[in-house]
Amino acid sequence: MWTEQASGSGTRRRRERSPEEELHTTQDGWWQMTLRALRTLLLFSIILGLSLLLWGYVFQGCGPSPCKTSVCQDLLDLYLASGNTSVAPCTDFFSFACGNINRTGSPFQALAEENKRRVRRILETPGSWRLAPGEEKAFEFYNSCMNMSAIEAAGASPFRQVIEELGGWSIFGNWTPLDFNQTLSLLMSQYGHFPFFRAYLKPLPTPPYLPVIQIDQPELDVLLKQKQEPNYAQILREYLSYLNRLVTLLGGDPTKVGNDASYSLFINSQLNQFLRPGEQQQAQGKVFEMVTIDQLQVPRAKGWGKMGIKRVAPAIDWLSCLQATFAPMSLSPSYRVAVHDLEYLKNMSQLIEKDLMKHRDFLQSHIIFGLVKTLSPALDSQFQEAHRSLSQKVGELTGRPPMVRTAGEEFFQPVHPRWMTCVEKTEAFFEPTLATLFIKETFKPSTHSAAMELFTTIKDTFISHLHTVPWMDRETRAEAQDRLTQLQVKMGPSEWALKPDPARQEYDDVQLGPSFLQTFLSCVRSRQARVIQGFLQPFSSHRWQVLPWGLKASYSIPDHVMVFPAGLLQPPFFHPGYPRAVNFGAAGSIMARELLHIFDQLLLPGGCPACDTRALQKALLCLERLYAALPSPKGTSFNVSRTLLEDAADAGALAIALKAYKKRLVLFRGETILPNLDLSPRQLFFRSYAQVMCRDPSTQDPQDIRSPPTLRVHGPLSDSPAFTTHFRCPQGALLNPPSRCQLW
């Protein structure tokens, strides 16, 4: 039934419902609400499922997958061979990563040798390269060096000819004494031999960074310091035996050389007493002093020269010797040279004046003995074997194994194969040619772009990281950020290794033959001439060069340029196909360390007046105590205060490289790991960092400014909270100390 109800000006009709209809309507409403709830739940489930699927694609899809390429397999083999996984990583990570280093050797040493093998392959396949006129002489020199049958057939005859050019030898009975300074000039300019001091061209390390002649202590054959050597008498006997053998090889009578050999030992011993370690020079604040040639020169009257200047080393005719060595440079008495140890020159000069000039025949013998060592790579193998045997025996008696310096690093190397000697000498004499060929062979565009990308990430991370350095004031922080922003980097080759160079293309002054020794000496003179000509060119383009096969990154202060040589950016430290964790942990930490060294001055006393000195000193002291609390390897000792700058760079480099790696993971997915190593990506990062430091701790030089390798691993890791987290180090473990430092 319908009823009408007034509503304003109109009417509205309403139908009354029965109880059954009301119940049915209520049920329909409930059902509609249930359907809406189910639809909402279904929609939410779909969205959740899609979200989980998307999360799995983005995050799980970029999760670690095994790298199965050949370069990764080679790296895995190295890690498995060098490490000792039975050691707890939180207690001794060095042994965990490097416990079998005696079996695999230092990765730096292995890489240096591999770079030599790369150069060897270049030199043994000349037909593979398009050579400019004259460049074939590099390959001819190498072949002559490897032709040991011809060198053995010549025997000592080529060297006996050199002795005649120096006036002969009393032991041979045909000596015509030359003036001492005339002999010294010949040795320095024609034979590259510096028996009493070294003289070389190099830019000064202080403004205005001009190239200058520098005079330094000599590199003596055997260090004879009686008070410091418990087996001093036995060392003397071995050295006398060696000198007797040289005389026999040269065709002389060893029974007539006793006094000459004894006097040579006396000279060596005296010069050793005068030597002052570079560390001591730095401690005294006298790395070098600028003096004029006139101040070193032979005086016209005894004692004092012009204007009351006392002569430092009057026994040497400095002007004539240096002019002969560095011609065509024009030198004068007023020319200023950099002397690294004036006291040494003074004592050396007095020794020559008081004792040696009275025994010129003995002095001549000493010079000839030393010249044999300098020219030994070009002589009969018996000369090389004699010196190698001496080095080995002296090493056994002193407890210091014979070391060789390769690519800027020092390594133990008991055997030096002939091909490696020939490669090193060819590199030295034909450096411009081989530098270009080495770059073409080893540093592809993909390697260059990947290395630049890595460096840019490290540098940008460091710039942003400066905001967290607690002791740095705002102005210093801004200046540091500007310096990093303006820094130039040369990744792999420098311009000089890529641009055509007339000296590289011609080598007109290199004469090959008739004997290998004469070829060798011609190359010695040619190289010296190129060095001098380079320094006479515009200063900016010839200030410094980094060898592409080297392993040491370099920073030029005046140019504000950092160079990472191609030889360093190779496996096992870097490869475009490596897991990012490896590249950031190894090469990335090396790059970060070099960047930090730019700011070493800030850490020195008074180096940052505006900084929070108290906070800086607190952080330095904290780091010093952190390293002092770590156990040193047996048989090694080090001075924490001496290694502090390097320790700071190591710890800071690890933190910056790790931060950069995390940043990279956020931006890019698809991380890989090394299979069968059972390490997560972040664990692999720390493992790769440690691998860079792997070397035998017993080979550590006591004068090294870096900590022993065990501490270079344990120090930074114990200062890293992330290491403790990712390796789940328990409280009280060696590498989980109760407190940490923040210097960088």
Side-chain angles (χ1 to χ4, degrees):
M1 177 175 65
W2 293 91
T3 60
E4 292 184 355
Q5 179 181 8
S7 177
S9 60
T11 61
R12 181 163 59 89
R13 294 182 178 182
R14 180 171 62 86
R15 179 177 178 271
E16 294 182 356
R17 297 175 182 176
S18 65
E20 292 81 2
E21 288 178 316
E22 289 289 342
L23 177 63
H24 181 69
T25 301
T26 303
Q27 291 175 345
D28 286 345
W30 178 86
W31 177 248
Q32 291 297 326
M33 290 176 61
T34 302
L35 286 177
R36 283 196 297 270
L38 288 173
R39 290 192 193 101
T40 302
L41 181 62
L42 179 61
L43 181 61
F44 177 77
S45 299
I46 293 173
I47 294 173
L48 179 61
L50 290 174
S51 299
L52 292 173
L53 183 64
L54 181 62
W55 181 87
Y57 173 75
V58 173
F59 293 98
Q60 297 299 323
C62 68
S65 59
C67 176
K68 298 181 179 180
T69 62
S70 60
V71 292
C72 284
Q73 184 60 49
D74 290 343
L75 184 67
L76 174 64
D77 292 342
L78 171 66
Y79 280 16
L80 291 174
S82 63
N84 182 1
T85 55
S86 66
V87 177
C90 297
T91 301
D92 186 356
F93 199 80
F94 180 83
S95 295
F96 179 81
C98 313
N100 292 320
I101 196 63
N102 290 332
R103 186 172 66 187
T104 61
S106 160
F108 271 98
Q109 181 178 2
L111 181 52
E113 293 174 358
E114 177 57 30
N115 285 341
K116 291 288 184 290
R117 282 188 282 270
R118 291 181 176 119
V119 178
R120 180 188 185 184
R121 289 193 289 269
I122 292 172
L123 289 169
E124 293 182 351
T125 56
S128 303
W129 309 97
R130 295 180 60 184
L131 302 174
E135 290 190 317
E136 70 279 354
K137 289 184 178 179
F139 297 84
E140 293 173 12
F141 173 86
Y142 175 77
N143 290 333
S144 297
C145 183
M146 291 294 292
N147 188 0
M148 285 305 299
S149 59
I151 296 174
E152 304 285 0
S157 297
F159 190 81
R160 288 176 67 101
Q161 182 179 340
V162 170
I163 293 176
E164 292 177 9
E165 293 170 0
L166 293 172
W169 195 8
S170 60
I171 291 178
F172 290 164
N174 63 341
W175 185 39
T176 303
L178 302 179
D179 175 77
F180 168 73
N181 280 292
Q182 182 182 353
T183 303
L184 189 58
S185 294
L186 282 172
L187 290 169
M188 293 167 60
S189 62
Q190 299 300 305
Y191 303 107
H193 181 55
F194 298 84
F196 302 106
F197 57 87
R198 285 186 298 138
Y200 51 87
L201 276 168
K202 190 176 181 181
L204 289 175
T206 56
Y209 309 106
L210 294 173
V212 68
I213 295 175
Q214 301 194 34
I215 300 173
D216 210 340
Q217 300 173 156
E219 295 178 345
L220 299 177
D221 190 21
V222 176
L223 298 180
L224 299 169
K225 294 188 177 181
Q226 184 171 5
K227 295 180 181 179
Q228 299 178 9
E229 300 296 350
N231 297 316
Y232 180 76
Q234 182 61 30
I235 293 172
L236 289 184
R237 285 192 289 270
E238 294 294 347
Y239 197 70
L240 285 172
S241 176
Y242 162 72
L243 296 181
N244 287 335
R245 187 176 179 187
L246 291 188
V247 172
T248 302
L249 292 174
L250 289 170
D253 185 353
T255 63
K256 298 180 180 180
V257 76
N259 291 334
D260 299 70
S262 297
Y263 217 83
S264 182
L265 281 171
F266 167 74
I267 297 171
N268 256 324
S269 180
Q270 289 297 301
L271 293 179
N272 267 288
Q273 303 304 321
F274 303 153
L275 294 181
R276 191 161 52 112
E279 178 189 55
Q280 183 180 344
Q281 297 180 45
Q282 293 180 7
Q284 295 176 357
K286 292 183 178 180
V287 178
F288 66 89
E289 295 182 54
M290 298 300 299
V291 299
T292 65
I293 291 178
D294 190 49
Q295 290 173 290
L296 298 172
Q297 189 61 58
V298 176
R300 298 182 179 178
K302 274 194 172 182
W304 297 84
K306 294 179 182 179
M307 301 176 61
I309 300 175
K310 190 169 184 178
R311 301 315 200 245
V312 175
I316 309 297
D317 187 344
W318 293 98
L319 183 59
S320 65
C321 288
L322 295 178
Q323 184 65 79
T325 305
F326 297 103
M329 292 177 63
S330 180
L331 305 180
S332 67
S334 61
Y335 182 87
R336 291 169 62 81
V337 298
V339 178
H340 288 259
D341 192 347
L342 281 171
E343 190 65 23
Y344 169 82
L345 295 185
K346 175 184 174 182
N347 292 329
M348 176 270 297
S349 177
Q350 290 176 355
L351 175 66
I352 293 174
E353 281 185 310
K354 294 179 180 178
D355 296 308
L356 306 187
M357 286 303 196
K358 300 175 185 177
H359 305 280
R360 283 296 318 279
D361 52 342
F362 294 157
L363 182 60
Q364 183 80 347
S365 295
H366 174 72
I367 288 172
I368 290 172
F369 290 144
L371 188 58
V372 170
K373 170 60 172 61
T374 299
L375 301 183
S376 63
L379 300 180
D380 185 325
S381 60
Q382 295 182 80
F383 289 95
Q384 301 159 41
E385 177 57 35
H387 188 269
R388 182 161 48 239
S389 176
L390 172 67
S391 298
Q392 182 176 349
K393 291 176 180 177
V394 171
E396 293 171 356
L397 291 169
T398 60
R400 297 189 296 270
M403 306 294 289
V404 294
R405 193 162 187 82
T406 302
E409 295 287 335
E410 196 172 46
F411 306 119
F412 167 62
Q413 188 168 335
V415 179
H416 206 67
R418 180 65 184 177
W419 70 262
M420 192 175 290
T421 298
C422 294
V423 163
E424 290 176 353
K425 295 306 175 184
T426 312
E427 287 174 344
F429 296 144
F430 299 92
E431 178 184 296
T433 292
L434 288 184
T436 302
L437 299 182
F438 184 85
I439 292 297
K440 291 179 180 178
E441 173 73 10
T442 64
F443 208 66
K444 307 301 181 186
S446 59
T447 305
H448 179 270
S449 59
M452 282 298 298
E453 180 182 328
L454 174 62
F455 177 79
T456 301
T457 305
I458 294 290
K459 186 181 74 170
D460 291 346
T461 302
F462 187 21
I463 291 174
S464 61
H465 178 78
L466 287 172
H467 287 289
T468 67
V469 178
W471 49 267
M472 198 175 272
D473 66 289
R474 181 179 300 177
E475 184 178 350
T476 303
R477 183 180 294 113
E479 291 176 357
Q481 290 172 335
D482 287 342
R483 290 191 70 187
L484 289 170
T485 302
Q486 296 166 12
L487 176 70
Q488 300 179 59
V489 62
K490 305 296 182 183
M491 198 64 66
S494 301
E495 284 83 354
W496 71 271
L498 299 178
K499 292 181 179 179
D501 181 352
R504 177 184 70 204
Q505 294 177 357
E506 298 185 13
Y507 303 107
D508 283 343
D509 54 351
V510 173
Q511 303 298 320
L512 302 175
S515 70
F516 180 63
L517 178 59
Q518 289 170 306
T519 297
F520 186 89
L521 291 173
S522 178
C523 290
V524 168
R525 296 156 191 162
S526 174
R527 178 181 59 177
Q528 177 72 348
R530 285 200 308 274
V531 170
I532 296 169
Q533 287 294 339
F535 275 97
L536 293 176
Q537 298 298 317
F539 178 56
S540 60
S541 61
H542 291 275
R543 193 191 317 268
W544 60 299
Q545 295 178 350
V546 177
L547 299 177
W549 45 77
L551 303 183
K552 187 174 178 57
S554 299
Y555 170 64
S556 170
I557 297 176
D559 298 307
H560 196 41
V561 174
M562 188 167 284
V563 177
F564 294 95
L568 175 64
L569 299 170
Q570 303 289 333
F573 301 142
F574 180 81
H575 191 278
Y578 277 171
R580 292 192 188 98
V582 172
N583 285 336
F584 275 87
S589 64
I590 293 173
M591 292 174 177
R593 187 180 300 110
E594 294 303 318
L595 290 175
L596 282 163
H597 276 311
I598 296 176
F599 305 102
D600 277 348
Q601 185 67 31
L602 296 178
L603 306 184
L604 299 177
C608 187
C611 294
D612 187 340
T613 306
R614 180 174 296 180
L616 174 59
Q617 292 304 314
K618 181 180 179 182
L620 287 169
L621 182 60
C622 176
L623 192 67
E624 195 169 338
R625 289 173 174 171
L626 180 75
Y627 273 73
L630 295 170
S632 300
K634 293 181 180 179
T636 63
S637 60
F638 75 106
N639 187 330
V640 178
S641 59
R642 186 184 68 235
T643 64
L644 188 56
L645 286 180
E646 293 293 335
D647 295 339
D650 285 342
L654 177 68
I656 292 168
L658 178 60
K659 198 171 185 178
Y661 175 56
K662 292 178 179 178
K663 176 181 176 182
R664 205 67 180 166
L665 287 181
V666 171
L667 298 176
F668 296 92
R669 66 183 184 87
E671 180 63 310
T672 57
I673 56 174
L674 296 179
N676 304 321
L677 201 59
D678 196 26
L679 293 177
S680 69
R682 284 176 173 80
Q683 289 176 328
L684 181 59
F685 168 89
F686 291 110
R687 176 70 172 78
S688 300
Y689 168 81
Q691 190 69 32
V692 174
M693 309 298 181
C694 287
R695 65 179 293 179
D696 184 358
S698 66
T699 63
Q700 178 84 1
D701 185 346
Q703 303 301 323
D704 200 334
I705 61 172
R706 295 167 298 186
S707 292
T710 36
L711 271 68
R712 295 192 70 189
V713 172
H714 291 164
L717 293 185
S718 64
D719 199 36
S720 171
F723 173 81
T724 298
T725 299
H726 293 293
F727 278 92
R728 300 182 178 88
C729 296
Q731 289 291 335
L734 179 68
L735 301 186
N736 186 12
S739 61
R740 292 180 171 85
C741 315
Q742 187 185 359
L743 182 59
W744 285 111

